[in-house]
């Protein structure tokens, strides 16, 4: 046991200094030396967690909980193991369903230690993230359904699906853009404009938001407003041919509305202005292309640097090969020292054989003491035969000290039933599901047991 505690101290020191791999080795050695101390497994699980070895962390926690139940270890240690298991499962979770095992583990931990604020915070975070995943998955489902209905021209049904998607994820501009398209097709232009504005507000660089808004303005005969909106969207999608087509339609409508030469002259000036704005947008697109070209140039320079670094690494590898040869020689010397130590250990083993002989004599003394204990045991057995059957815990088969009533109506020792409930949600007596896990002290039975113990000259 002393050697196991020494390994634990070494592991704790390495864990504190964030040398987690070394800590794992010490905790593993300690667990081998003292299999009855589940704290080694919990500490090793924590080290695995910080090494991002989450599967190993979960495995160690499960083993700690199982052993803790068998050995009737401290409830606090079992709760700690469940809490770290939950933390590791949270890191492994990739969808809403993956969060359920983590939440279950954290809830069990809190059931054993209700006042643990850190575990409570983990549980709250897990439930919140799970809810976000569920909302996003539901939103994606409604969005896919809406797209399918959109392709079939079922505008009203599609709009209903996009509305559900927005309820689940109100920050996705695409849902507002697609619902705006449905409203436009249904000639509900006010709602279409509202969705288009919301789309632009959520993502000012999303070209389709401007397209939907411009379409509403075009249908409302607000041609100048529509042109301004299309031009704004063109900055974020200069390659979009349908925006150019809509700009052309706006110009045609404006020309049709001009009735006299003065109006037409004014209109020509306005069109010239808009043409300049369009040219600006195209110039900005060209600037983006130039920036992309510069980026390609920088990438080429980076590739040359990587090649030069590769040449340098080749030289370094050659140096490492030489260093490896030197280390191999040192390893051979170290192996020779180990052989010498092995010889010394064999000598030490011979001494242990002598000590074993002495232990044989000591064992004879223990046999004599065992014989005396048998007499005491038979006396206690005669007392136990007089014990009332309802004084016995159905789980431990021992006289209860702290009897509690469970949901199945049977009475158990408090610690025994608490350990049972960590792994089960059924009755130990009937194997039927329990309606709840609340335990009620059985004061009447406890008083009866204490009175019986006094008559038997025993301490409960």
């Amino acid at each position: 046991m002393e050697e196991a505690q020494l390994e634990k101290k070494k592991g704790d020191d390495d864990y504190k200094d964030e040398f987690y791999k070394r800590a794992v080795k010490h905790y593993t050695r300690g667990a081998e030396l003292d299999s009855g101390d589940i704290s080694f497994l919990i500490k090793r699980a924590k080290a695995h967690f910080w090494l991002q070895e989450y599967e190993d962390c979960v495995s160690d926690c499960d083993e700690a909980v199982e052993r803790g139940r068998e050995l009737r270890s401290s409830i606090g240690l079992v709760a700690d193991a469940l809490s770290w298991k939950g933390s590791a499962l949270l890191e492994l979770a990739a969808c809403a369903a993956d969060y359920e095992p983590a939440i279950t583990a954290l809830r069990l931990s809190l059931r054993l230690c209700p006042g643990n604020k850190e575990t409570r915070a983990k549980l709250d975070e897990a439930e919140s993230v799970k809810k976000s995943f569920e909302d996003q998955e539901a939103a994606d489902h409604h969005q896919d359904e809406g797209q399918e209905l959109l392709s079939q021209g079922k505008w009203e049904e599609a709009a209903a699906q996009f509305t559900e998607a927005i309820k689940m994820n109100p920050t996705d501009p695409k849902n507002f853009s697609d619902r705006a398209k449905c409203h436009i097709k249904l000639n509900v232009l006010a709602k279409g404009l509202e969705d288009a504005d919301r789309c632009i507000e959520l993502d000012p660089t999303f070209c389709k938001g401007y397209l939907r808004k411009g379409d509403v303005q075009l249908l409302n005969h607000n041609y100048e407003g529509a042109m301004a909106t299309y031009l704004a969207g063109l900055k974020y999608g200069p390659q979009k041919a349908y925006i150019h087509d809509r700009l052309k339609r706006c110009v045609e409508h404006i020309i049709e509305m001009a009735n006299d030469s003065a109006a037409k002259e004014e209109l020509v000036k306005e069109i010239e202005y808009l043409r300049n704005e369009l040219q600006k947008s195209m110039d900005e697109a060209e600037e983006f292309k130039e920036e992309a070209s510069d980026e390609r140039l920088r990438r080429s320079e980076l590739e040359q640097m990587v090649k030069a670094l590769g040449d340098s690494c080749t030289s370094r590898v050659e140096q490492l090969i030489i260093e490896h040869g030197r280390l191999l020689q040192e390893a051979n010397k170290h192996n020779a020292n180990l052989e010498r130590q092995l010889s010394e250990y064999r000598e030490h083993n011979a001494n242990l054989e002598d000590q074993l002989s002495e232990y044989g004599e000591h064992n004879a003394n223990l046999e004599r003491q065992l014989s005396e204990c048998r007499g005491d045991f038979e006396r206690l057995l005669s007392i136990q035969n007089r014990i009332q059957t309802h004084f016995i815990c159905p789980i431990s088969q021992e006289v209860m000290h702290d009897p509690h009533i469970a949901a199945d109506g049977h009475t158990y020792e408090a610690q025994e039933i608490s350990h049972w409930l960590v792994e089960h949600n059924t009755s130990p007596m009937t194997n039927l599901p329990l309606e709840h896990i609340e335990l009620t002290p059985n004061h009447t039975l406890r008083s009866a047991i204490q009175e019986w113990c006094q008559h038997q000259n025993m301490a409960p």
Side-chain angles (χ1 to χ4, degrees):
M1 296 297 181
E2 184 177 347
E3 187 177 354
Q5 292 303 311
L6 180 60
E7 291 293 340
K8 181 185 286 188
K9 184 180 183 305
K10 291 179 179 178
D12 290 345
D13 291 340
D14 284 334
Y15 183 89
K16 182 179 179 182
D17 294 334
E18 299 183 3
F19 297 136
Y20 300 121
K21 285 189 178 292
R22 290 195 335 210
V24 166
K25 293 180 180 178
H26 288 302
Y27 293 141
T28 300
R29 177 62 179 155
E32 292 171 352
L33 294 169
D34 186 1
S35 59
D37 186 353
I38 66 170
S39 68
F40 285 107
L41 295 172
I42 298 172
K43 290 175 178 287
R44 187 172 69 184
K46 291 164 65 175
H48 280 311
F49 180 88
W50 296 118
L51 287 168
Q52 298 183 357
E53 297 168 349
Y54 303 120
E55 292 88 350
D56 293 332
C57 176
V58 171
S59 177
D60 278 349
C61 290
D62 284 338
E63 186 177 353
V65 171
E66 179 65 22
R67 285 196 189 178
R69 184 180 64 82
E70 294 173 356
L71 300 171
R72 301 175 189 172
S73 301
S74 163
I75 289 178
L77 286 176
V78 176
D80 198 25
L82 288 167
S83 179
W84 280 99
K85 176 184 177 180
S87 297
L89 289 172
L90 287 178
E91 296 295 331
L92 292 169
C95 63
D98 293 343
Y99 279 83
E100 193 57 40
I103 290 173
T104 300
L106 292 171
R107 284 176 177 167
L108 282 173
S109 179
L110 277 176
R111 183 185 298 172
L112 296 176
C113 290
N116 192 310
K117 294 181 180 179
E118 184 177 352
T119 303
R120 169 57 63 186
K122 290 179 185 177
L123 178 59
D124 291 343
E125 179 187 0
E127 290 176 336
S128 175
V129 175
K130 180 191 175 188
K131 180 66 166 55
S132 298
F133 266 102
E134 289 173 341
D135 288 348
Q136 185 57 54
E137 289 170 4
D140 292 343
H141 171 74
H142 287 299
Q143 189 179 73
D144 292 341
E145 290 289 327
Q147 290 291 343
E148 179 65 24
L149 292 167
L150 203 64
S151 66
Q152 298 172 14
K154 297 179 179 180
W155 315 118
E156 190 169 350
E157 294 90 337
Q161 290 296 327
F162 292 130
T163 297
E164 291 301 318
I166 289 170
K167 289 179 183 178
M168 297 295 102
N169 183 8
T171 61
D172 187 348
K174 193 173 185 304
N175 289 323
F176 286 96
S177 169
D178 290 335
R179 190 171 70 173
K181 181 177 180 179
C182 295
H183 288 321
I184 292 169
K185 293 292 185 179
L186 293 168
N187 202 32
V188 187
L189 301 183
K191 289 185 177 181
L193 181 60
E194 182 181 339
D195 279 349
D197 284 334
R198 180 59 178 154
C199 175
I200 295 170
E201 180 183 348
L202 288 171
D203 185 0
T205 65
F206 189 42
C207 180
K208 284 191 177 181
Y210 297 94
L211 176 64
R212 305 299 181 220
K213 182 175 181 178
D215 286 348
V216 173
Q217 291 171 321
L218 185 61
L219 291 170
N220 282 329
H221 310 297
N222 181 7
Y223 304 119
E224 293 183 0
M227 288 185 69
T229 301
Y230 288 139
L231 286 171
L234 201 60
K235 296 178 182 178
Y236 310 108
Q239 76 285 6
K240 303 296 186 182
Y242 47 75
I243 292 185
H244 290 280
D245 177 65
R246 281 163 171 74
L247 283 170
K248 182 179 177 182
R249 288 168 58 187
C250 287
V251 172
E252 291 173 351
H253 282 296
I254 291 172
I255 292 174
E256 288 176 4
M257 292 174 63
N259 296 323
D260 55 56
S261 59
K264 288 185 178 181
E265 184 179 348
E266 185 66 26
L267 181 60
V268 169
K269 292 180 181 179
E270 182 68 21
I271 292 173
E272 184 63 27
Y273 167 76
L274 292 173
R275 185 176 295 150
N276 292 335
E277 289 294 316
L278 177 60
Q279 186 60 45
K280 280 186 185 178
S281 296
M282 301 304 292
D283 291 342
E284 288 177 2
E286 288 298 324
E287 289 180 9
F288 291 150
K289 290 180 181 178
E290 290 178 4
E291 290 177 2
S293 177
D294 293 340
E295 180 62 27
R296 285 194 292 271
L297 178 60
R298 286 194 294 271
R299 187 176 298 174
S300 175
E301 293 174 350
L302 180 60
E303 289 174 353
Q304 292 178 2
M305 291 174 61
V306 170
K307 184 178 182 302
L309 183 60
D311 296 337
S312 174
C313 287
T314 301
S315 175
R316 178 58 180 159
V317 167
E318 293 174 354
Q319 294 176 7
L320 289 173
I321 291 173
I322 297 172
E323 181 70 13
H324 176 265
R326 183 183 65 79
L327 291 174
L328 186 60
Q329 291 179 351
E330 292 181 1
N332 290 334
K333 290 181 182 178
H334 181 63
N335 188 54
N337 291 333
L338 290 176
E339 289 289 343
R340 178 180 55 78
Q341 292 177 11
L342 180 59
S343 176
E344 294 175 357
Y345 289 150
R346 285 173 180 159
E347 230 176 287
H348 178 63
N349 188 57
N351 293 334
L352 290 177
E353 291 288 343
D354 295 336
Q355 293 178 13
L356 185 61
S357 176
E358 295 175 2
Y359 291 152
E361 296 177 4
H362 180 63
N363 186 58
N365 293 330
L366 291 177
E367 288 288 345
R368 178 179 54 79
Q369 294 175 14
L370 180 60
S371 177
E372 295 174 358
C373 289
R374 285 197 185 99
D376 294 336
F377 175 76
E378 290 174 358
R379 180 179 63 82
L380 292 173
L381 188 60
S382 66
I383 294 173
Q384 185 178 8
N385 290 335
R386 297 195 297 273
I387 297 175
Q388 299 292 333
T389 56
H390 59 280
F391 290 177
I392 303 298
C393 174
I395 299 177
S396 66
Q397 295 299 311
E398 295 177 358
V399 176
M400 292 182 281
H401 295 169
D402 187 16
H404 277 64
I405 303 172
D408 59 357
H410 294 282
T411 300
Y412 307 87
E413 177 65 26
Q415 185 176 11
E416 297 294 335
I417 189 63
S418 294
H419 280 293
W420 173 272
L421 292 176
V422 171
E423 295 292 328
H424 309 80
N425 62 355
T426 58
S427 166
M429 295 291 290
T430 66
N431 204 32
L432 294 176
L434 294 171
E435 294 182 359
H436 57 81
I437 61 170
E438 299 297 327
L439 301 176
T440 305
N442 193 332
H443 298 297
T444 302
L445 182 57
R446 182 175 183 180
S447 298
I449 293 173
Q450 290 176 342
E451 182 179 355
W452 178 85
C453 290
Q454 291 174 358
H455 289 164
Q456 300 297 327
N457 293 322
M458 296 173 57

